[in-house]
Amino acid sequence: MPLEKGKISGKQLTVLYITTIVASAVVFLPGVVAAKAQQDAWISSIIAAITGFFLALLVLRLHSRFPEQNVIQYSRTILGKWPGLITGAGFAWFFIHINAVIIREFGAFLATVLPETPPVVFMALIVLLSAYYVRNGLEVCCRIAEFYFPIFVLQVVVIVLLVVKEVRWQLFEPILGAGWGPVIEGIFPPVMWFGEVITMSMILPYLHDKSQAARSLFLGVLLAGILFFLASFFTIGVFGGDLTANLNFPVFELARTISIAQFLERVDAVLMSFWVAGGVIKITTFNYCAVLGTAQLLNLSDYKPIILPLAVIQVFMALTGWENVGQLKYFINDIIAPYSLILFEGGIPLMLLVIARIRRLGVTK
Amino acid sequence: MKPGKFLLLIYISLTLMIVPGCWSRRELNSLSISQAIAVDLEPDGKIVLTFLFVKPDSGQKQMGGGSGSGMSYVLVSEKGETLFDTQRDIYLSLPRKLFMGQNSLVIYSEQAARAGLGPLMDLFFRHKDFRLTNYVFVTRGKASDMLKFQPNLESNPVREIFGAITYAHMRVSKTIPKDIKDFLIDLGAPGIEPVLPEIELVPKLAGEELPQSGSSGGGGPSQKTKLRLAGMAVFKEDKFVDWLSPDETRALHFAVAMGHLGIEIIPGPSDKKLAVEIIGGTSKIKPIVKNGRLFIRIESTSAANIGETMGVKGIDNPDLINELNKETENVIRERIEKLVKKAQKEYRSDFMGFGSAIWREMPQYWKEIENEWDELFTEIPVEVVVKVDIKGIGMASDYSNER
């Protein structure tokens, strides 16, 4: 008996993917990239988006071999019972752990802006809401994303349009002044974000029209790439490489520089509420993957009983995993890339695909 | 829908109306809203902060009252070790929560600027309330004095300064507005030193003084002085070096394309003077390597109009206009050359960004010379190429007062 009976459309998949990637990317990422690539961060963002296509291709290839299975199920088909179970458990852990990072990121962001509220309040509220979405199934999660998506795109476009007059083109020079080295170094954090496409391997089996899988996912990567490029490009154009690298929330700061005729300003509070809404959707996607994956690993007939326990575990991990923002930043910038990118977003899926080819498993054309 | 469920829905909706609230809420009547902060450094290293708070409840009604108690703003000072520590100590003497989100000006004293602005600016960069778009000023005397003048048209000195800096640079180019973001960008970029606009209080001219309204006994801001934005403060890294006069600031405008605006006085035929209004243009600082030698070329191109002739005749004669083009070019070129010399020999601060231009155009070469740039800068040859094109002559050609 299937755990999830819902069906989603290709459009919903696109929207869910974009929101999952970009919701936190536009808040934190430009600064992280600029720390490595300085004023060339926008070049890194383009290359990262292109790399994102290949990661999406990997997920799609696996999906086309095992159209009715998700990553946790087909790793068992490919690797056999025990190795498959261990790999599947690894993926479930990955979803939970990354979700803890995201929850903590948003908690830290909100706690910086609203210091009098304990961070646990933000984290618990966000996770409770996402748990509620997950409880109502995949279709509800997707509809929330669909409802929210236009607002989200609109706010990025509005920020960009309103800061165009603040852009100083000089700040982009010298282009590739220090060569390609820093630019290549700068693509790892965003590639990691684009690699979150692995969550879609949990959702692809529920796509109503299978033929739309590739189209929807690639469209998602393209649009997410454009949004992320806009965010990097304009933070560099307004703040320059050095200052962007030193800002913890560059796009938030970008929104605060908006001042049209001393009338349209201080729009950051509105934008922050949109970001938090986007963050909830991102956390929901990961939460859903974690819950569904865990339920499948444990052979449960229903995933609802484990939603709340997992939510509590995630908030607890988010609270206790890092003692301070310094540790969190170090973790995100230096540790998470090899861990998530090489292992779960690229390495293991590639290995699965290669083994599936050698063993001639799944559907072949 | 079952009646039980319906009742529950109504119950929840009603509770929603009463229960929700904001955790970190700040109501207007519990806030003191700061609009400007003046940072002074005492000789003993202590920091004195002076905040200008607006009174949210006084509004426009009491404007023009003139007497001390009728003002719509207050100044509050505190002394401490660091900026944040000092800011918090304000609570000891103020009945409301501080809110700096509306702060729009930060003024540093010369003393503070000499000690280095980096550490003194960190709070404004780090604290969540401050925006990076706060304008920054440096003043010769005490920074707190700059908030103690009688505003002319606006309700408080901050709005007065804010308005002046917003419009002045577009009309006279004797000052350049800089916010925290600009300062930090210049501080972080290689091969450029920051500049900040100067603010001062000057005595009112005799014609400006209105008759006293009698009851100005004690207190109240001085009626004898007025605000003046003119010139810039030059920095080396984050430390103040020296001042630029208003005319030198104009040269800086022309050299680095902050804006090509303002009035140039040009010697005309028969000892008469003309005012040429520069209306726009571009300039570029180009590093050029020729025969293995590096030099800088400043190319400045402006468009202009004749603004005032002061009795010069035949202004619609194309030959005269060509001549005036040359004259204006000479005036501007001399200005820029003087400024470059001063920057190189006297201030030894690359505030025009020659190094930055080299870094942008030839990043490889910059890497080689970066370490000795401080020395190289003082000797680098600079060529100034100015082009002025007078386009219009205004609404009249000539007037004839003699036949």
Side-chain angles (χ1 to χ4, degrees), chain B residues 24 51 57 78 117 157 190 194 199 211-212 232 246 316 365 371 391:
Chain B
S24 312
F51 286 75
D57 46 10
E78 199 63 55
L117 286 191
I199 184 174
Q212 296 283 326
M232 304 294 285
D316 48 0
Y365 185 68
N371 289 328
K391 302 272 191 200

Side-chain angles (χ1 to χ4, degrees), chain A residues 39 111-118 121-122 166 168 170-171 173-179 238-240 242-243 246-247 252-253 255-258 262 265-268, chain B residues 23-26 97 101-103 125-133 159 162 166-167 178-182 184-189 256 284 359-361 363-364 367:
Chain A
Q39 70 279 1
T112 313
V113 184
L114 300 167
E116 287 160 44
T117 313
V121 174
F122 299 124
E166 309 278 341
R168 280 157 57 183
Q170 263 194 352
L171 292 174
E173 295 176 311
I175 293 167
L176 293 176
V238 173
F239 297 124
D242 187 69
L243 191 54
N246 283 322
L247 287 168
F252 181 64
E253 208 61 64
R256 308 219 299 181
T257 61
I258 292 174
Q262 288 180 44
E265 38 185 39
R266 295 169 207 285
V267 291
D268 42 300
Chain B
W23 194 303
S24 312
R25 75 184 191 285
R26 290 176 288 192
K97 260 188 190 169
Q102 291 281 341
N103 201 73
F125 181 43
R126 194 173 303 280
H127 194 284
K128 71 188 171 64
D129 272 6
F130 291 102
R131 272 143 219 267
L132 295 180
T133 47
R159 297 210 54 78
F162 192 87
T166 309
Y167 297 113
K178 291 276 179 183
D179 55 26
I180 294 177
K181 160 170 70 76
D182 297 331
L184 291 173
I185 289 174
D186 285 351
L187 199 59
V256 299
K284 189 155 173 56
W359 172 61
R360 281 199 300 271
E361 302 260 320
Q364 306 301 328
K367 230 181 231 164

